[in-house]
């Protein structure tokens, strides 16, 4: 299909088809969101990203009949499910063994001649996620990833994280400032 689910008529058709079990409609929604979903989950729990994404899509499949909204609402709904699955996974992780990563692993992102140009021109989506998560920790990384990968607005991120929109804006601003210090002065700030 050449059109994107972000077009209102295409999204309505895709949701209706997915609710009726149309594999092409389901595939269209999956193809549009899966790469972003994997990057988000991989940035938070790299070893479990595929399993968590599968759990998210199972939850989407079981709840799609109750979903009501447009394309941005759908993206927010999917990423809210992802965040809940991630929280569930982390709660159970306390009982599992963890491997410590060497500090040198995080020092692989060195600037060359023009780090701001390289960051904007050459980084793939996964490299950008790796850079964000190597520089930012916790909620700052999560806010920036939800804003960039999921293309969610401030209000949607606030609802997902159960915070105020102002908290999201401040956290995003701090995250971008931290990235700017690391990458150089020419970083673009989202509004």
């Amino acid at each position: 299909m050449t059109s994107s689910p972000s077009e209102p008529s295409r999204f309505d058709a895709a949701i209706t088809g997915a609710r009726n079990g149309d594999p092409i409609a389901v595939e269209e929604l999956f193809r549009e969101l899966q790469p972003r979903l994997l990057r988000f989950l991989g940035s938070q729990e790299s070893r479990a990203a595929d399993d968590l994404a599968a759990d998210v899509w199972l939850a989407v499949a079981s709840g799609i009949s109750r979903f009501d909204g447009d394309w941005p609402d759908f993206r927010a709904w999917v990423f809210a499910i992802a965040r809940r699955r991630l929280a569930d996974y982390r709660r159970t992780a306390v009982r599992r063994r963890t491997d410590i990563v060497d500090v040198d692993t995080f020092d692989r992102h060195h600037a060359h001649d023009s780090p701001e140009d390289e960051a904007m021109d050459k980084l793939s989506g996964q490299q950008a996620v790796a850079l964000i998560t190597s520089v930012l920790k916790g909620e700052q990384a999560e806010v920036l990833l939800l804003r960039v990968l999921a293309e969610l607005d401030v209000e949607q991120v606030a609802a997902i994280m159960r915070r105020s929109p102002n908290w999201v804006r401040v956290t995003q601003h701090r995250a971008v400032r931290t990235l700017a210090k690391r990458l150089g002065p020419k970083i673009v700030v989202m509004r």
Side-chain angles (χ1 to χ4, degrees), residues 7-66:
E7 298 171 15
S9 62
R10 187 67 228 136
F11 176 72
D12 291 342
I15 282 293
T16 301
R19 285 181 178 145
N20 293 327
D22 177 8
I24 294 172
V26 172
E27 181 183 346
E28 183 177 4
L29 296 172
F30 179 84
R31 240 190 343 224
E32 187 72 24
L33 286 178
Q34 180 68 356
R36 296 174 188 198
L37 184 62
L38 279 176
R39 285 184 184 131
F40 173 71
L41 293 170
S43 73
Q44 302 296 306
E45 293 291 342
S46 61
R47 293 182 183 182
D50 289 331
D51 293 337
L52 289 168
D55 288 345
V56 169
W57 286 109
L58 285 173
V60 167
S62 67
I64 200 162
S65 63
R66 296 181 306 275

Side-chain angles (χ1 to χ4, degrees), residues 83-173:
R83 193 164 184 272
R84 286 193 300 272
R85 294 298 178 266
L86 192 56
D88 293 344
Y89 174 80
R90 287 177 173 161
R91 270 193 289 277
T92 61
V94 173
R95 291 173 274 185
R96 290 189 295 253
R97 182 181 72 97
T98 58
D99 296 325
I100 297 173
V101 177
D102 188 12
V103 177
D104 295 337
T105 303
F106 299 106
D107 290 333
R108 293 186 183 145
H109 302 286
H110 294 289
H112 300 290
D113 295 335
S114 179
E116 60 277 358
D117 291 339
E118 285 185 41
M120 298 305 168
D121 295 336
K122 294 184 180 177
L123 286 179
S124 72
Q126 189 56 46
Q127 289 170 318
V129 168
L131 179 62
I132 288 170
T133 56
S134 72
V135 175
L136 302 173
K137 300 297 176 216
E139 291 176 328
Q140 283 187 353
E142 191 171 358
V143 164
L144 208 54
L145 291 170
L146 286 171
R147 293 279 287 128
V148 174
L149 287 178
E151 294 180 359
L152 301 179
D153 62 30
V154 170
E155 287 74 22
Q156 291 170 320
V157 174
I160 289 171
M161 295 186 77
R162 297 183 183 185
R163 301 288 191 139
S164 72
N166 191 50
W167 179 90
V168 171
R169 286 183 196 95
V170 169
T171 303
Q172 177 182 321
H173 177 75

